[in-house]
Amino acid sequence: MKKVVSLVLAGAMVLSLAACSSSNKETTAAAAAETTKAAAETTKDAASVEASKEAKKEAATAKSADNDIVIALQADATHLDPHVSSNGISNTITNEMYECLLAFDKDTNVVPALAKEWSVSEDGKAYTFILNEGIKFHDGEPFNAESVKAVYERGLADDSLTLKRTISAWEDVTVDSEYQVTIHLKEPNNTFINKITQFRIVSPKAMAMENASDYLAKHSAGTGPFILSDRVDGGYTKMVRNENYWREGPTVDSLTFQVVPEDAARIAMLQTGEADIITPVPVTDVALIENDPSIIVDVAPATTYRYVTLNTEWALPDGRKPFADKRVRQALNYAFDSEAYAKVVFNGYAKVPTSIFSDSIMYYSEQTPYTRDLEKAKSLMKEAGFEDGFDVEIIVDNTTIEQKGATFVQQQLADIGVNVKLLPNESTANAEKTSAPLESTTVQMWYVNWASGSYEADGSMRNILHGTKFPPNGYNTAFWNNEEFNQLLDDALKMSDQKEIAEAYAKAQAIAWEECPWIFLGNDNTINAYKTYVKGLQYKPGGTMVFRTIGLDH
């Protein structure tokens, strides 16, 4: 039986494991294994990489000792109420308990989920969904059109929920019949179908409780393949299989997401079998496991974009606001070496940024990269009156890779006199800090990453850069407000002509790129690893794991 091992034990084991792992190779699998590095290289096509993984699985003889899945994660969910949490790790966990009307497949196609079909009115303002029947929530309540309307009404009633942002463009929800519901929009919105994949359906009975979020932190009330069993904040989240799941589901007995911030500890747990899956794989440690016959390493081009937000309203003790000056913001980008960042921080498993979101997102428009030019950076700093630099603080999650990246930023900016102090915190603490409004925020710089769950341009820009998305309404912690940029995003939503949409988003990207509300860092790959006996693991675009049909050979 797998146990939730302590980080001290796992960390202590890693040195001996690294030393002896080479003696455990099975020659029958060695010929089938290709280096994982090849998966990130353009010279290797996806088909050959996939064939290599399948060959390795066929050659492997490892079996699971039980029927329980343990996934070692870098950080914890911020909350298990799916209408409160919104970051990637929270979504990975809550998505196994809660479902949406529609979903994405691995190729970014929108496919049926709780809704089996849908249609849109001629004016583009009404979407009608025909729902699957006979589905029950974890608390036994029936799923129907009233359930969808109840979620909408919860969003209307509580401004503190992230759900509020999802429904902000909606006019109303009408129940047409028990299994038909229509969502009416205030105006046409060409991203609606993508965004509805983030509208998680929760039992009306649970939402009606006086302290619903407190209840949902310890109990699940969704329709998903797993039901919450046990939760220790900062420790682990355990779920058991939903025996009444409405479609093909998992065959494992339980699914446990264990928080393991230390990279070496996650590697050790995978090697010993204490964990069946780990994410992310530390880029510097891929070589430790890529030729292990019992381990598969998956490398996927990520939609994750890394950047540092620059609070344009932050003031020095003398009252000057360095980040309010575009020249200072540009100087920081000219002082930063993105190529070195990709190599040093991500061991080559990353790309230099060429716009404000990943090139795998629809309507991406390539910009001329900022290249390290210290003379230009110093000249801009002098023009802006900051030739002597200044002291500034940067908050960062306290995981290994995040602190390594922030330290690299610190070292780069020191060359132009910007002295950066690192403030590492738990991800939940940073989530609280970055949700504070302008008048009370303490955030000066934030080392962060963003990946749109809706895989479209608006979702990749609006919540983090639009002028109406200052915290707590969004994550624009640069407090950057450009009217032309805002208008382009707003106008694009109403357009139907693909060329016009592309042109609007291209202009928006060009404005943000030139204005530099962030330091643009890079796009890193998603690297996950799992035991060869893990079956039925699915992916969404960008390498996000889905466990709906997960199973084990044991």
Side-chain angles (χ1 to χ4, degrees):
M1 189 77 175
K2 297 184 189 73
K3 298 183 289 294
V4 180
V5 298
S6 72
L7 301 189
V8 175
L9 173 61
M13 294 166 64
V14 73
L15 294 178
S16 61
L17 286 168
C20 70
S21 61
S22 60
S23 65
N24 294 330
K25 306 293 185 286
E26 294 180 8
T27 56
T28 55
E34 291 184 14
T35 63
T36 304
K37 190 78 169 180
E41 296 173 353
T42 56
T43 53
K44 293 291 184 182
D45 62 272
S48 65
V49 172
E50 193 62 31
S52 170
K53 291 194 298 186
E54 291 305 315
K56 190 173 186 181
K57 289 178 183 178
E58 290 179 10
T61 58
K63 301 289 184 182
S64 174
D66 53 34
N67 199 35
D68 302 292
I69 286 272
V70 173
I71 305 108
L73 299 175
Q74 188 178 58
D76 196 12
T78 55
H79 204 289
L80 293 191
D81 182 340
H83 300 154
V84 171
S85 59
S86 64
N87 67 340
I89 289 177
S90 297
N91 290 343
T92 293
I93 294 173
T94 57
N95 282 350
E96 299 309 314
M97 298 180 284
Y98 299 94
E99 297 176 304
C100 304
L101 297 177
L102 305 177
F104 283 106
D105 67 12
K106 62 182 178 62
D107 300 314
T108 330
N109 298 311
V110 178
V111 297
L114 291 175
K116 59 185 178 181
E117 57 184 273
W118 67 95
S119 59
V120 59
S121 62
E122 287 188 11
D123 64 3
K125 294 172 64 175
Y127 288 78
T128 298
F129 297 88
I130 308 299
L131 309 180
N132 282 295
E133 301 179 18
I135 300 173
K136 289 189 179 295
F137 289 101
H138 298 161
D139 60 6
E141 293 294 299
F143 164 73
N144 51 34
E146 291 287 355
S147 309
V148 179
K149 185 174 178 65
V151 175
Y152 168 68
E153 290 176 340
R154 186 189 189 201
L156 286 180
D158 191 343
D159 289 346
S160 70
L161 301 175
T162 57
L163 174 63
K164 183 74 171 184
R165 299 198 293 268
T166 305
I167 65 166
S168 61
W170 300 13
E171 182 67 42
D172 194 14
V173 174
T174 58
V175 174
D176 306 322
S177 67
E178 187 174 6
Y179 294 105
Q180 180 176 308
V181 63
T182 298
I183 297 173
H184 303 272
L185 305 182
K186 296 174 183 175
E187 50 192 2
N189 186 321
N190 56 41
T191 68
F192 172 77
I193 285 296
N194 285 53
K195 286 186 166 63
I196 199 68
T197 63
Q198 310 302 300
F199 182 69
R200 295 168 181 82
I201 309 298
V202 179
S203 167
K205 181 180 178 181
M207 292 188 295
M209 292 183 176
E210 184 176 352
N211 297 306
S213 285
D214 291 342
Y215 175 81
L216 292 171
K218 298 295 182 182
H219 306 84
S220 61
T223 59
F226 289 96
I227 298 172
L228 184 61
S229 170
D230 191 20
R231 161 82 175 170
V232 174
D233 289 346
Y236 64 90
T237 302
K238 183 176 181 179
M239 310 171 193
V240 295
R241 181 176 65 241
N242 180 1
E243 300 292 354
N244 299 311
Y245 189 55
W246 61 280
R247 56 178 170 172
E248 180 190 3
T251 58
V252 296
D253 295 331
S254 69
L255 187 69
T256 299
F257 294 94
Q258 185 177 343
V259 182
V260 187
E262 175 56 46
D263 289 344
R266 290 198 304 281
I267 289 287
M269 290 176 68
L270 184 66
Q271 289 174 317
T272 62
E274 293 288 350
D276 305 292
I277 302 169
I278 65 170
T279 184
V281 175
V283 291
T284 54
D285 293 338
V286 170
L288 288 174
I289 58 175
E290 64 183 345
N291 291 319
D292 188 314
S294 71
I295 294 173
I296 299 291
V297 182
D298 271 340
V299 180
T303 56
T304 301
Y305 190 96
R306 293 185 181 269
Y307 57 99
V308 173
T309 65
L310 307 172
N311 182 350
T312 56
E313 293 296 321
W314 166 68
L316 292 167
D318 61 11
R320 294 181 301 161
K321 297 180 178 181
F323 299 148
D325 195 314
K326 179 175 70 174
R327 293 169 297 185
V328 173
R329 303 194 302 267
Q330 289 178 334
L332 268 56
N333 277 283
Y334 281 116
F336 187 78
D337 190 335
S338 292
E339 289 190 3
Y341 174 77
K343 293 174 183 176
V344 173
V345 179
F346 293 99
N347 211 28
Y349 290 95
K351 292 192 296 185
V352 171
T354 51
S355 189
I356 61 173
F357 53 79
S358 166
D359 60 10
S360 60
I361 298 294
M362 191 175 183
Y363 300 121
Y364 155 86
S365 178
E366 184 175 1
Q367 311 296 314
T368 302
Y370 286 91
T371 55
R372 184 165 164 88
D373 186 336
L374 287 179
E375 291 306 311
K376 187 173 183 66
K378 290 176 181 177
S379 175
L380 286 166
M381 291 287 283
K382 186 175 182 179
E383 284 180 28
F386 289 94
E387 61 267 35
D388 295 328
F390 50 86
D391 296 338
V392 63
E393 297 174 346
I394 186 170
I395 64 169
V396 58
D397 288 359
N398 64 346
T399 60
T400 306
I401 192 68
E402 299 298 291
Q403 291 188 79
K404 184 177 181 181
T407 299
F408 187 87
V409 172
Q410 177 189 53
Q411 294 166 346
Q412 296 274 288
L413 300 190
D415 289 340
I416 59 169
V418 177
N419 304 309
V420 180
K421 179 181 179 181
L422 267 61
L423 299 178
N425 301 293
E426 295 285 343
S427 59
T428 50
N430 280 337
E432 184 175 348
K433 285 178 178 290
T434 54
S435 65
L438 177 59
E439 59 269 20
S440 60
T441 187
T442 60
V443 177
Q444 300 170 15
M445 300 169 70
W446 183 22
Y447 181 95
V448 66
N449 63 79
W450 178 268
S452 168
S454 55
Y455 307 109
E456 38 80 29
D458 186 78
S460 300
M461 294 188 283
R462 181 175 296 275
N463 270 333
I464 48 181
L465 283 173
H466 196 283
T468 62
K469 296 300 181 180
F470 290 3
N473 296 322
Y475 296 97
N476 182 358
T477 55
F479 298 99
W480 178 70
N481 187 14
N482 182 285
E483 290 185 6
E484 185 181 2
F485 176 89
N486 298 342
Q487 195 64 53
L488 285 163
L489 262 59
D490 294 344
D491 290 346
L493 290 180
K494 306 168 193 174
M495 296 174 181
S496 57
D497 183 271
Q498 295 293 311
K499 184 178 179 181
E500 290 182 358
I501 296 171
E503 288 175 353
Y505 284 138
K507 288 179 183 177
Q509 290 169 73
I511 289 169
W513 192 254
E514 199 266 340
E515 285 283 323
C516 296
W518 308 332
I519 304 174
F520 310 114
L521 305 181
N523 297 110
D524 54 303
N525 296 120
T526 297
I527 311 178
N528 305 317
Y530 56 91
K531 288 293 193 178
T532 52
Y533 52 68
V534 173
K535 307 297 180 186
L537 180 62
Q538 300 179 10
Y539 286 95
K540 289 200 293 186
T544 301
M545 291 184 288
V546 179
F547 305 96
R548 179 172 67 83
T549 58
I550 201 77
L552 293 167
D553 276 346
H554 58 89

